[in-house]
Amino acid sequence: MKAKGSRPITDVGTLKALAHPLRMKLYRALCVADKATASHLADQVDEAVSLVSYHLRKLAEHGLIEQAAPQSADGRERWWQPSSEGVSIRDRDFRDAPEKAAAHLAATRLFHDQRTDLYRRYLDERPTWSAEWNAAAADSESLLRLTAPEMRELQDELLALIRRYDERGRSAEAAGDTEGREHVALHVYGFPFRV
């Protein structure tokens, strides 16, 4: 059964397992689908089922995903699900050695690049979305003057708000309210910079 909350990743082995471009795509697709087979995921990432199965097993070896209960009568199908509601990766867990810091930086760059690709895909597909969805899609930038503790407080408040909306949407969907409901990606970056 899927664990509640985010799973902290604190070891380089698990970080490297997730920070593989195809594995991260598969993990993200599985989080969106909640449960899927290698065949379903292979169609989404345009890769061979055997390759997808291999990478799913690697994610499972590190406890990032787990087998799910069968969703059909076909006993040959192996269903997978995320083992938690997400993962959290904190800089502080990878600062004590140069190789750990380098692995964290490489993973962070990969995650950011994939998020950027997802947003670019939306921009390319924008004409296919309704005016209502295009008006609702957010794109903003705020340049603030904060201390590190204030930034942490802002992040905590934003995460609490995001969780509240996620829970509300999932509850409504579970109750059958699917009309007009779509997957929504919300990427929030907060970082210091100097001019």
Side-chain angles (χ1 to χ4, degrees), residues 135-150:
D139 183 355
S140 67
E141 180 177 353
S142 301
L143 304 174
L144 313 172
R145 294 282 294 165
L146 303 173
T147 64
E150 288 169 339

Side-chain angles (χ1 to χ4, degrees), residues 45-105:
V45 298
D46 197 28
E47 294 288 351
V49 175
S50 59
L51 181 65
V52 168
S53 292
Y54 169 80
H55 286 293
L56 289 172
R57 287 191 305 274
K58 288 295 180 190
L59 290 170
E61 284 175 19
H62 289 275
L64 296 164
I65 67 171
E66 62 192 16
Q67 283 194 37
Q71 304 296 303
S72 68
D74 186 351
R76 297 171 296 157
E77 289 185 325
R78 179 182 282 180
W79 287 80
W80 297 97
Q81 67 184 12
S83 58
S84 63
E85 292 179 342
V87 295
S88 62
I89 305 166
R90 304 283 180 237
D91 176 72
R92 67 178 175 254
D93 296 319
F94 297 94
R95 283 191 168 255
D96 59 338
E99 64 276 6
K100 289 172 76 175
H104 179 257
L105 179 59

Side-chain angles (χ1 to χ4, degrees), residues 82-128:
S83 58
S84 63
E85 292 179 342
V87 295
S88 62
I89 305 166
R90 304 283 180 237
D91 176 72
R92 67 178 175 254
D93 296 319
F94 297 94
R95 283 191 168 255
D96 59 338
E99 64 276 6
K100 289 172 76 175
H104 179 257
L105 179 59
T108 301
R109 287 183 186 277
L110 169 72
F111 302 152
H112 179 73
D113 288 347
Q114 287 190 347
R115 290 177 195 142
T116 300
D117 289 345
L118 185 62
Y119 185 61
R120 283 189 178 124
R121 191 173 89 199
Y122 159 72
L123 292 175
D124 291 343
E125 295 173 354
R126 184 183 278 178
T128 67

Side-chain angles (χ1 to χ4, degrees), residues 29-42:
L30 196 53
C31 286
V32 169
D34 193 43
K35 294 177 181 68
T37 65
S39 296
H40 293 121
L41 295 169

